[in-house]
Amino acid sequence: MPIVEPGPLVARALSEGRAVVGANVSTIQMVRGVVRAAEQTGRPLLVQFNRSGLTLIGGVDLAARVVRQAAEDSEAEVGLHLDHADTLDELSAAINAGFGSVMIDGSTLAFDQHLTLAREAKGLVQWSRLPLEAELGHVAGDEAGVTIGDASWTDPEQAVRFVAETGVDWLAVAVGNTHGGPPLGGLQIDRLHAIRDRVPIPLVLHGASGLTADELGVAVESGVAKINVGTSLHQAAAKGLTEALERHPGSLRSALLESERAVESEARRLLTSPWALG
């Protein structure tokens, strides 16, 4: 199936009270694994790259070609999203390569600087009509390719102003979630509800690998329409590779295939969650 547009998938998820899985990947084997899981489950999927993932796979153009080919070789609904870019040049490169949605991340900047960057990003993407994601507050943690800083939670009133003045299409929120680990003090459901009640656009939750199934379900019920997962997929890839090499040292080809199958299994688990868009 040809690669699909992410915008309609996220809009559909919001209208149905579900969420699209945004799978952050770094290698061709990971792309193949998550796309195969989407095909097996009949669930749509966004394949996502941050700066680190793009570096590992060989750049933005190669990433787009790999995902496009994987999608065309399957019956799955697969979209392509740029995650955690913090420059306009990165957005331009992804748009020109054929990415279907992009994220500008100024979450560690002062609020006024963040507004300016997000406005400029919106102006850049308007001609392409691609959805623009931004993060207000800062989801901390440790994930390659993501700007590291102290956690700061999304302020609901600031969120109203930010969305109104920038025109972003999706808002990533910091409500206790953490990149690469469990939530800091638990997921802040009351804060999430307050944001949802004030902000009319789809919400995005980063750092989902450390959240429980119940927390993810409540988050989706509270207006989250895209859930990003990277750590658990990378951990599955690493475990599959390591265990295969322990069994058959030096057999890289079989180890890479085992890594791919491990990613497929983890992605299938995520895609069959009750909250995942069908």
Side-chain angles (χ1 to χ4, degrees):
M1 178 183 293
I3 203 163
V4 302
E5 297 179 11
L9 287 182
V10 174
R12 193 172 97 210
L14 184 65
S15 69
E16 295 181 9
R18 300 290 184 92
V20 179
V21 174
N24 278 66
V25 299
S26 299
T27 67
I28 291 174
Q29 285 70 36
M30 292 188 76
V31 172
R32 285 160 50 96
V34 298
V35 170
R36 188 178 296 112
E39 182 173 45
Q40 291 173 348
T41 60
R43 302 287 179 94
L45 174 82
L46 295 186
V47 179
Q48 305 190 157
F49 290 90
N50 63 25
R51 188 180 295 114
S52 175
L54 290 175
T55 298
L56 284 170
I57 205 166
V60 66
D61 293 310
L62 184 55
R65 288 199 295 272
V66 167
V67 175
R68 188 177 299 114
Q69 189 62 57
E72 290 175 356
D73 290 343
S74 81
E75 295 301 317
E77 287 185 277
V78 177
L80 178 59
H81 175 75
L82 178 68
D83 196 32
H84 286 289
D86 56 19
T87 69
L88 300 184
D89 286 346
E90 289 174 285
L91 298 189
S92 294
I95 293 169
N96 291 333
F99 279 61
S101 56
V102 293
M103 177 190 182
I104 189 70
D105 184 1
S107 60
T108 58
L109 299 174
F111 183 72
D112 287 343
Q113 291 176 300
H114 193 183
L115 275 178
T116 298
L117 179 62
R119 284 195 202 103
E120 291 173 346
K122 183 63 178 180
L124 177 67
V125 304
Q126 274 183 323
W127 66 268
S128 65
R129 299 189 178 183
L130 299 188
L132 175 67
E133 177 182 336
E135 181 177 312
L136 185 64
H138 180 66
V139 179
D142 184 12
E143 181 179 331
V146 178
T147 302
I148 302 301
D150 293 333
S152 61
W153 310 132
T154 306
D155 180 272
E157 298 304 331
Q158 270 195 343
V160 173
R161 180 184 168 196
F162 185 84
V163 170
E165 294 190 17
T166 63
V168 299
D169 301 282
W170 308 334
L171 185 68
V173 294
V175 288
N177 42 316
T178 307
H179 285 297
L184 297 174
L187 199 64
Q188 301 171 16
I189 300 302
D190 288 345
R191 183 182 298 274
L192 186 55
H193 286 173
I195 298 166
R196 175 204 60 193
D197 292 343
R198 292 166 173 80
V199 173
I201 62 174
L203 303 180
V204 180
L205 196 68
H206 290 234
S209 294
L211 299 175
T212 67
D214 287 344
E215 286 173 320
L216 290 173
V218 171
V220 173
E221 290 172 0
S222 303
V224 170
K226 179 163 83 79
I227 288 180
N228 288 9
V229 182
T231 298
S232 72
L233 293 169
H234 283 80
Q235 288 174 340
K239 183 178 180 183
L241 188 70
T242 300
E243 291 180 350
L245 287 174
E246 287 174 349
R247 290 193 301 270
H248 305 287
S251 182
L252 180 59
R253 291 182 180 86
S254 61
L256 288 171
L257 288 173
E258 191 62 36
S259 176
E260 183 177 314
R261 284 191 284 268
V263 170
E264 176 189 323
S265 177
E266 174 63 10
R268 192 165 54 243
R269 181 187 70 81
L270 293 164
L271 289 165
T272 53
S273 299
W275 49 262
L277 181 65

